[in-house]
Amino acid sequence: MTALGKQLRLSRLFDQASQTSIIIPMDHGIEDPNYPQLEDPRKLVADLARAGVNAFLMRRGLARFTAESFAGRAGWVQRMTGRTGLAHDDADQLLLASVEEAARSGADAIVPTVFLGGQTEKAHLPLIGQLGDEAGKYGIPLLVEVFPTGDSNAHPYDGPYTVADMRVAVRAASEEGADFIKTWYTGDPKTFSQVVAYSTVPVLIAGGPKARDERQVLEMVKGAMDGGARGIAMGRKIWQSANPVGVVEALKRIIRHGASVDEAMDAIKTPVLAGAAR
């Protein structure tokens, strides 16, 4: 039986009618100095919250800075791991925060990034279980962002990874304490459905490599949903858009209502008022 605290927090992170989730990561600031959208994102956060996203994925400092922009309208998933762009090693993830402090700060979930396979696994695999145990004590859901290490052609976060490796990665995360998962989209519904089938918890897709335009983003999300995804945890493809509120509305149509890409594109072409119905 799910603890009450975890149950209530999860209910804020998933749309209750469709049981899907739209989470906006904005935790990139320590990795790269070239995100002008993150210099003062309070208006952007307020607009996206009014547009109906379920939650923001932020480090504690940005959550504190923007709290008045989303409090009462969207949840907060606290990023627990990271490394600066000065380290030049995407897989070198360090634990930077405590579950106890996340609970005290009002986080609706916590999320580490883990890479399984190779040299990182000996540190990252135990981290899933340790955070899962600790989060359970405080009734906080654990979102695990998980990727295989992959072969020499794979780039951290962006792959390409094999379906077999992806199946092992999501299974390990779900076996060791994840309540839901953020991971790489394999590129088509058929192979992604094989990944989803091997997880025992809901799977969201990460943003992945840079897209050429909004239509390609929507096509990716539509494919993922057709393959069994329960939503997205996608940041730059939304808040770097010229019309982030329109992109959120388009994503809502696909994720929550099963719209086609063409039907969703109308939301980007037509101005959408922030505060539209969720």
Side-chain angles (χ1 to χ4, degrees):
M1 182 176 179
T2 303
L4 179 59
K6 183 177 287 190
Q7 179 182 351
L8 293 176
R9 287 181 169 99
L10 282 171
S11 72
R12 293 193 286 267
L13 298 175
F14 283 81
D15 174 67
Q16 294 305 290
S18 63
Q19 286 300 300
T20 59
S21 186
I22 299 174
I23 296 175
I24 312 298
M26 302 183 80
D27 58 328
H28 308 71
I30 72 169
E31 300 166 7
D32 194 307
N34 299 310
Y35 293 123
Q37 300 88 351
L38 300 182
E39 289 180 4
D40 185 351
R42 286 175 291 188
K43 183 181 183 302
L44 173 62
V45 168
D47 288 344
L48 295 177
R50 284 191 291 267
V53 305
N54 294 100
F56 295 93
L57 194 164
M58 298 175 172
R59 301 182 187 281
R60 50 190 161 180
L62 188 59
R64 187 180 304 115
F65 183 64
T66 61
E68 291 184 2
S69 298
F70 68 85
R73 292 191 292 267
W76 168 41
V77 178
Q78 182 175 333
R79 168 64 71 189
M80 301 293 285
T81 57
R83 56 90 197 160
T84 71
L86 305 177
H88 305 295
D89 185 356
D90 288 300
D92 183 22
Q93 295 288 309
L94 305 174
L95 183 62
L96 303 176
S98 73
V99 179
E100 180 181 4
E101 184 58 32
R104 193 160 40 231
S105 298
D108 291 297
I110 59 169
V111 55
T113 296
V114 297
F115 289 90
L116 300 183
Q119 294 301 307
T120 58
E121 181 169 298
K122 61 186 177 182
H124 289 190
L125 183 57
L127 182 63
I128 301 173
Q130 291 163 9
L131 287 176
D133 290 347
E134 191 71 10
K137 296 177 184 177
Y138 294 97
I140 296 182
L142 174 63
L143 169 62
V144 175
E145 183 175 17
V146 62
F147 304 95
T149 301
D151 61 22
S152 59
N153 295 317
H155 298 278
Y157 302 105
D158 295 340
Y161 306 116
T162 67
V163 172
D165 284 359
M166 289 295 300
R167 278 167 61 89
V168 171
V170 300
R171 187 62 180 229
S174 61
E175 292 275 11
E176 295 305 326
D179 294 292
F180 56 132
I181 286 169
K182 171 188 176 183
T183 197
W184 184 72
Y185 175 53
T186 56
D188 66 89
K190 183 177 180 180
T191 57
F192 193 64
S193 68
Q194 297 173 40
V195 174
V196 172
Y198 218 51
S199 173
T200 63
V201 298
V203 177
L204 314 180
I205 64 162
K210 185 176 180 180
R212 64 176 179 271
D213 54 30
E214 284 91 350
R215 173 172 281 275
Q216 187 177 31
V217 174
L218 299 184
E219 288 172 346
M220 178 180 76
V221 174
K222 178 63 173 174
M225 297 303 294
D226 289 346
R230 293 274 292 277
I232 62 169
M234 183 181 296
R236 288 170 294 181
K237 286 185 169 71
I238 295 172
W239 45 259
Q240 287 186 324
S241 167
N243 183 7
V245 170
V247 173
V248 167
E249 180 61 33
L251 290 168
K252 284 163 51 181
R253 293 182 184 186
I254 292 173
I255 294 169
R256 296 179 181 167
H257 305 294
S260 69
V261 172
D262 286 338
E263 290 168 336
M265 280 296 297
D266 288 340
I268 299 176
K269 297 173 184 176
T270 304
V272 179
L273 294 176
R278 292 168 73 100

